[in-house]
C-alpha cells in the first residue's frame, strides 16, 4: 500500500508524540515562506524521503538534544525566505504567480555549528536546486524583507543538539540524491498560520 508523505508524517507523530519539537510558541517577528515536505512529490523508486529523514532524526539520542529538540516528521520543511515584513500573503502570492514547480535534491547532512552566543548545533540536510534560489531571489526583490542571514543556504533542519555534538553526523549521505518537487509554497505569518500559494 502506498502512503502520502503527509499520512506517514501524521502517523509517525501519533505514535511518538513526545519525541519531537512542537511548532507552537510565541509569535515571530517576521513572516516567512517555506516548502513543507508533506506537500512535495517524489520518485517512488527512490524510497520515501520522509521515512529516510525520520530514520536520521531517530538515530540522534535524546541525551544529545538541545532545548529545541528534534523536528517532527510532520513539520519537516525547507525555508525559502525568512524576514518578510508583511503579515498577509497577498504580495507574495502576486510575486510568485506562474513561477512553476520547484525541484530540489537532498544533499549530505551538515551542521550550523554553535557559536559564542548559541550553545547548540543545528543538524541539517543540505538542499540543492537552481529554481529554489531563483524563487528566494524573486521574493526578496518583490516584498519588504529584513535579511537575517546574508547568504541563502537552503536546508532541511533535523534537530538541535548540544554544542559540539553535531559534528559526528556531518557527511551522512543516506538521503543524498533524493529529489522532491513542489508546486505549492506555504506562507507562514507572524502568528504561524499557514496559507498555501500555488506556484
Amino acid at each position: 500500500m502506498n502512503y502520502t508523505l503527509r499520512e506517514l508524517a501524521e502517523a509517525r507523530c501519533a505514535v511518538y508524540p513526545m519525541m519531537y519539537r512542537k511548532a507552537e510558541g510565541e509569535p515571530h517577528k517576521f513572516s516567512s515562506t517555506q516548502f513543507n515536505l508533506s506537500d512535495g512529490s517524489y520518485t517512488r523508486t527512490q524510497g520515501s524521503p520522509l521515512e529516510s529523514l525520520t530514520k536520521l532524526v531517530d538515530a540522534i539520542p535524546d541525551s544529545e538534544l538541545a532545548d529545541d529538540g528534534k523536528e517532527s516528521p510532520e513539520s519537516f520543511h525547507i525555508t525559502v525566505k525568512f524576514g518578510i515584513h508583511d503579515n498577509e500573503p497577498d504580495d507574495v502570492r502576486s510575486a510568485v504567480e506562474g513561477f512553476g514547480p520547484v525541484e530540489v535534491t537532498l544533499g549530505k547532512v551538515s551542521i550550523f555549528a554553535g557559536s559564542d552566543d548559541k550553545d547548540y548545533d543545528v543538524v541539517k540536510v543540505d538542499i540543492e536546486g537552481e529554481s529554489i534560489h531563483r524563487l528566494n531571489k524573486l521574493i526578496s526583490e518583490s516584498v519588504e524583507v529584513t535579511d537575517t542571514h546574508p547568504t541563502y543556504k537552503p536546508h532541511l533542519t533535523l534537530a538541535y543538539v548540544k554544542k559540539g555534538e553535531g559534528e559526528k553526523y556531518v557527511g551522512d549521505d543516506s538521503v543524498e540524491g533524493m529529489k522532491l518537487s513542489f508546486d505549492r509554497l506555504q506562507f507562514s505569518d507572524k502568528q504561524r498560520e499557514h496559507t498555501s500559494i500555488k506556484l
Side-chain angles (χ1 to χ4, degrees):
M1 180 179 292
N2 291 326
Y3 295 94
T4 66
L5 287 172
R6 184 177 297 281
E7 288 168 341
L8 287 168
E10 290 173 348
R12 188 75 184 180
C13 288
V15 175
Y16 301 107
M18 299 306 295
M19 289 178 59
Y20 303 104
R21 186 172 70 91
K22 295 187 182 299
E24 299 86 3
E26 295 298 319
H28 287 162
K29 183 176 181 180
F30 300 111
S31 299
S32 64
T33 56
Q34 65 190 47
F35 290 127
N36 291 345
L37 200 74
S38 56
D39 292 337
S41 59
Y42 62 95
T43 305
R44 290 191 179 277
T45 55
Q46 66 184 273
S48 166
L50 180 65
E51 290 179 335
S52 299
L53 290 164
T54 301
K55 286 180 181 177
L56 286 174
V57 171
D58 288 350
I60 300 173
D62 289 350
S63 61
E64 294 181 3
L65 296 177
D67 289 344
D68 280 344
K70 302 175 181 181
E71 286 287 346
S72 68
E74 68 177 1
S75 67
F76 284 148
H77 67 276
I78 304 163
T79 298
V80 177
K81 185 65 188 180
F82 183 74
I84 298 172
H85 290 205
D86 290 342
N87 199 42
E88 299 294 333
D90 299 348
D91 289 343
V92 170
R93 181 185 287 111
S94 296
V96 304
E97 184 177 8
F99 187 90
V102 171
E103 296 186 354
V104 301
T105 303
L106 302 186
K108 290 183 171 67
V109 174
S110 63
I111 61 170
F112 291 129
S115 58
D116 289 342
D117 60 338
K118 291 184 179 178
D119 60 353
Y120 58 87
D121 298 335
V122 180
V123 181
K124 62 188 176 70
V125 171
D126 293 331
I127 300 295
E128 302 167 1
E130 180 269 340
S131 56
I132 195 171
H133 283 274
R134 283 196 294 111
L135 184 59
N136 167 272
K137 186 173 187 289
L138 174 62
I139 296 171
S140 299
E141 294 175 346
S142 300
V143 300
E144 188 176 1
V145 300
T146 295
D147 284 316
T148 56
H149 300 87
T151 304
Y152 178 52
K153 297 179 180 179
H155 63 279
L156 189 152
T157 297
L158 300 175
Y160 299 81
V161 299
K162 296 171 184 174
K163 187 175 177 179
E165 295 286 0
E167 186 64 36
K168 65 172 71 72
Y169 301 105
V170 173
D172 186 298
D173 61 359
S174 56
V175 299
E176 186 178 19
M178 289 187 172
K179 298 182 183 297
L180 283 158
S181 179
F182 300 93
D183 63 4
R184 292 197 168 273
L185 181 70
Q186 298 295 327
F187 179 90
S188 178
D189 67 22
K190 297 169 187 177
Q191 290 73 40
R192 305 171 190 242
E193 295 294 329
H194 285 202
T195 300
S196 182
I197 298 174
K198 176 74 174 174
L199 293 174

